[in-house]
Amino acid sequence: MKNIVLKIQEGDLFRFFNAEDRTELIIGSKRSADIVIRSPYIQPEQVRLLCKNGIWYAEDLSATDCKCLVLLGKRTFKKPVLKLDAPLSFRRAGEKKQETLAEITAVKQIRPQKGGSGFDLTKKTITYVGSGENCDIRAQNPLVSEKHFFIVFDGQDCFIEDAHSVRGTYVNNRKVKRSKLNDYDRISIPGAAYIFFRNRLLYSTAAGGIRIDAADICKEVTDRNTRKKISLVTHVSFRIGAGEFVAVVGGSGAGKSTLLDCINGMRPATGGKIYYDTNDYYENMNSYKGVIGYVPQKDIMHDDLTVGTALRYTAKLRTRADISEKELDARVSEAIADVRLQGKEKLRISALSGGQRKRVSIAMELLSDPKVIFLDEPTSGLSPDLDLEMMDLLKDLSRKGRTIVVITHAMENLDKCDRVAFLGKGGRLCFYGAAKDAFRWFNRRSYSRIFAALSDENISEQFAVKYRQNEDYAKLYADFCEEYGSGCILPPQKPAPVQKAWEKQPRDLPEQK
């Protein structure tokens, strides 16, 4: 076979070399050699590998005074050229116990087979993963290099090696250059995660955004005056489905921003777990850096730049270094179209309205193609009509394969969200569901009266108990226990046999005339 993949072993270290379309390779100690072995005993050009009629041969180029002995299997080079049918070893010459400096083995070639899964690593000797068209597994993300990493199957085991990518390759949240793969190893690159199992690569990132599971999240801080612990988020458990648009609402000081920062890792929780697509997020934060977008309440951008120029500069910072100008322009144009700013490319940012500036902030995050976007009060200060436009925009973004989580105080357009999380005093989750069901749940006629009731700690705790008594929470508990183990969240609570605690609250009756 013309193409050859070589495994180079130096002590406990190893690496792979793919000859691709080459027919001649030089092995030696000089930097310009195709395969460099750094050793004072190896000559600048020690061995030449030649391919003739699809068969590879090894030629010993050693000088007579060479300190390195080259063996093909257990044979010395009695002839200058031998067929490469055994491991090629380099040993120190002139010693009773010869020290092996390096060993080069031709990996058994696997012919591509038709049918079956494209992720079956045993069907090819070498499998490439990256953004390039020639890769076996393509990862469409602007941070992914054209050839990001490759996996070599030597007929028995699989080995992963980073292909000099810009953002790196992570195995079990550890950045690696090369490593042997074991079952259940998790491989992460920007925008994609894979599970290795039985010589197969299983894609574990949802195509339509990231599913987020918050399991018994708690956040405690120490009061500077009393030195006592204060709970900002208290036993919050819920699931945000992949591609869902979710709003977190509540009164001032209810812990909305704190909960958001627990979920995105800016301020990790002190208790509980956050899972992204069933993976522990805090243990794999490096793996998810490139797929998370965050839009703060205050816009951060250069006012003197035009919209198009600002986005181009941002794109260069947030995409891989070797991205082409054509792809860069396409990314910018796509981001502008996604936030509905066509025709505004040449306007200065300082001339934009508040709603348009916020759209530019969102477009900056879209340039890196995030799978989840967190927004802190994106409609703050906007008029009701612009608030409606912004919520419509965010809903459309979620339908394009992104999970959207937003904090908002504007309640008029919550019907655009798939779910709404109401937080009460102390960061208690008092309701999680469709916005239209909130009034019946809280037995209140307006959002202002709901917020007023949830400002009381006792009432908030009663509604938090009610949340843990409903059927949806019982199903969530069963799902979480199956995926993450029993005891991961508080168990469902049975309704009281007598009058329910929250029914003792005064009803929100119409005012008497």
Side-chain angles (χ1 to χ4, degrees):
M1 187 178 236
K2 182 178 178 181
N3 187 41
I4 190 171
V5 178
L6 300 172
K7 180 181 180 182
I8 303 103
Q9 186 95 25
E10 297 178 71
D12 294 331
L13 302 177
F14 64 89
R15 65 185 190 275
F16 290 92
F17 180 86
N18 184 14
E20 296 180 330
D21 296 327
R22 303 280 297 277
T23 58
E24 181 177 333
L25 302 172
I26 296 296
I27 304 172
S29 60
K30 69 176 185 179
R31 290 186 177 182
S32 59
D34 299 296
I35 299 174
V36 180
I37 302 175
R38 294 182 177 86
S39 172
Y41 302 100
I42 292 181
Q43 291 187 327
E45 294 188 359
Q46 186 81 49
V47 172
R48 177 187 287 114
L49 300 182
L50 302 169
C51 182
K52 294 182 179 180
N53 300 322
I55 299 174
W56 282 87
Y57 298 89
E59 179 184 1
D60 188 6
L61 304 177
S62 303
T64 55
D65 59 344
C66 181
K67 299 179 181 179
C68 176
L69 178 65
V70 182
L71 298 176
L72 187 64
K74 296 182 179 180
R75 296 170 290 163
T76 57
F77 276 76
K78 294 181 180 179
K79 296 181 180 180
V81 179
L82 294 176
K83 183 179 178 182
L84 187 63
D85 56 2
L88 196 65
S89 58
F90 300 79
R91 302 182 181 182
R92 287 183 61 178
E95 295 186 359
K96 293 182 179 179
K97 187 177 180 181
Q98 295 174 337
E99 176 188 352
T100 300
L101 303 172
E103 185 174 89
I104 298 179
T105 308
V107 177
K108 181 182 177 182
Q109 294 293 293
I110 309 296
R111 295 182 180 274
Q113 301 175 13
K114 295 182 179 180
S117 170
F119 293 91
D120 188 347
L121 301 170
T122 65
K123 293 187 175 183
K124 290 188 69 178
T125 306
I126 184 166
T127 301
Y128 280 101
V129 179
S131 60
E133 294 182 359
N134 296 327
C135 287
D136 303 287
I137 302 172
R138 295 192 67 187
Q140 295 290 3
N141 187 285
L143 298 176
V144 175
S145 299
E146 188 170 348
K147 286 185 178 179
H148 204 95
F149 70 86
F150 59 88
I151 296 176
V152 177
F153 177 64
D154 66 355
Q156 182 176 356
D157 297 313
C158 286
F159 301 85
I160 186 172
E161 182 163 339
D162 183 75
H164 304 288
S165 66
V166 177
R167 295 284 175 165
T169 301
Y170 292 82
V171 176
N172 300 328
N173 202 36
R174 183 175 61 88
K175 193 173 184 179
V176 299
K177 179 60 181 174
R178 60 186 62 87
S179 176
K180 179 183 175 182
L181 290 173
N182 300 299
D183 283 352
Y184 304 106
D185 276 351
R186 185 176 184 278
I187 304 165
S188 304
I189 59 176
Y194 308 88
I195 301 295
F196 176 82
F197 181 71
R198 293 183 179 177
N199 294 332
R200 289 178 177 267
L201 208 57
L202 309 176
Y203 194 63
S204 69
T205 301
I210 290 176
R211 191 185 80 185
I212 301 173
D213 289 339
D216 200 36
I217 295 302
C218 297
K219 179 69 174 182
E220 290 186 340
V221 296
T222 302
D223 187 280
R224 293 182 179 179
N225 298 321
T226 63
R227 310 305 298 173
K228 294 182 179 180
K229 293 289 185 180
I230 300 175
S231 181
L232 303 180
V233 178
T234 307
H235 298 295
V236 171
S237 301
F238 63 94
R239 168 172 287 172
I240 300 174
E244 282 191 341
F245 177 24
V246 173
V248 180
V249 302
S252 179
K256 301 183 296 298
S257 296
T258 304
L259 176 61
L260 193 74
D261 288 348
C262 288
I263 297 173
N264 62 34
M266 292 183 66
R267 290 183 289 170
T270 55
K273 295 279 189 179
I274 297 292
Y275 297 96
Y276 281 22
D277 289 333
T278 72
N279 300 302
D280 190 321
Y281 174 57
Y282 292 162
E283 292 183 0
N284 295 276
M285 287 179 68
N286 287 331
S287 304
Y288 287 100
K289 278 182 180 179
V291 296
I292 295 177
Y294 179 76
V295 180
Q297 185 175 355
K298 184 177 180 181
D299 298 318
I300 303 173
M301 59 188 75
H302 295 282
D303 288 350
D304 292 335
L305 298 178
T306 64
V307 172
T309 303
L311 290 176
R312 278 188 63 83
Y313 282 136
T314 304
K316 289 182 178 181
L317 291 172
R318 298 195 178 188
T319 56
R320 63 183 186 274
D322 60 348
I323 191 170
S324 66
E325 289 294 319
K326 183 179 179 181
E327 185 178 351
L328 193 70
D329 291 338
R331 289 281 175 188
V332 172
S333 298
E334 185 180 356
I336 289 175
D338 282 344
V339 297
R340 306 170 189 170
L341 282 178
Q342 298 97 320
K344 308 292 184 183
E345 293 89 345
K346 296 183 179 180
L347 283 180
R348 288 182 181 271
I349 291 176
S350 58
L352 300 178
S353 66
Q356 291 171 337
R357 289 172 62 91
K358 186 60 66 176
R359 292 186 186 199
V360 174
S361 292
I362 296 173
M364 288 179 172
E365 297 303 315
L366 294 177
L367 291 169
S368 59
D369 192 23
K371 296 298 182 183
V372 56
I373 304 177
F374 299 96
L375 303 100
D376 191 352
E377 298 194 33
T379 61
S380 178
L382 300 184
S383 59
D385 58 327
L386 293 179
D387 177 85
L388 175 60
E389 289 183 11
M390 184 61 66
M391 296 297 278
D392 267 331
L393 171 65
L394 296 176
K395 183 176 181 179
D396 287 346
L397 291 177
S398 70
R399 298 302 180 260
K400 294 179 180 179
R402 298 180 179 92
T403 303
I404 306 292
V405 185
V406 58
I407 293 176
T408 182
H409 280 118
M411 313 300 290
E412 292 81 3
N413 301 300
L414 286 182
D415 58 318
K416 301 294 182 182
C417 302
D418 297 300
R419 297 171 187 259
V420 180
F422 278 81
L423 294 187
K425 187 77 171 180
R428 293 173 172 84
L429 184 58
C430 300
F431 171 78
Y432 187 60
K436 62 182 178 63
D437 299 328
F439 298 117
R440 180 182 296 275
W441 178 272
F442 290 108
N443 194 27
R444 300 293 192 278
R445 289 186 303 158
S446 65
Y447 289 121
S448 59
R449 297 189 183 193
I450 292 174
F451 287 174
L454 296 183
S455 64
D456 182 275
E457 189 166 354
N458 291 329
I459 295 177
S460 294
E461 178 59 26
Q462 290 167 10
F463 278 110
V465 171
K466 179 182 180 181
Y467 169 68
R468 293 193 291 271
Q469 291 176 344
N470 71 61
E471 294 181 1
D472 290 341
Y473 184 84
K475 184 179 183 303
L476 181 75
Y477 177 80
D479 290 346
F480 276 22
C481 288
E482 181 178 353
E483 291 185 7
Y484 310 121
S486 60
C488 60
I489 63 175
L490 295 178
Q493 295 179 244
K494 295 181 180 179
V498 294
Q499 186 183 21
K500 299 174 184 177
W502 60 87
E503 290 182 344
K504 297 178 183 179
Q505 304 301 321
R507 292 182 177 273
D508 190 10
L509 298 175
E511 295 181 3
Q512 296 181 356
K513 295 184 179 179

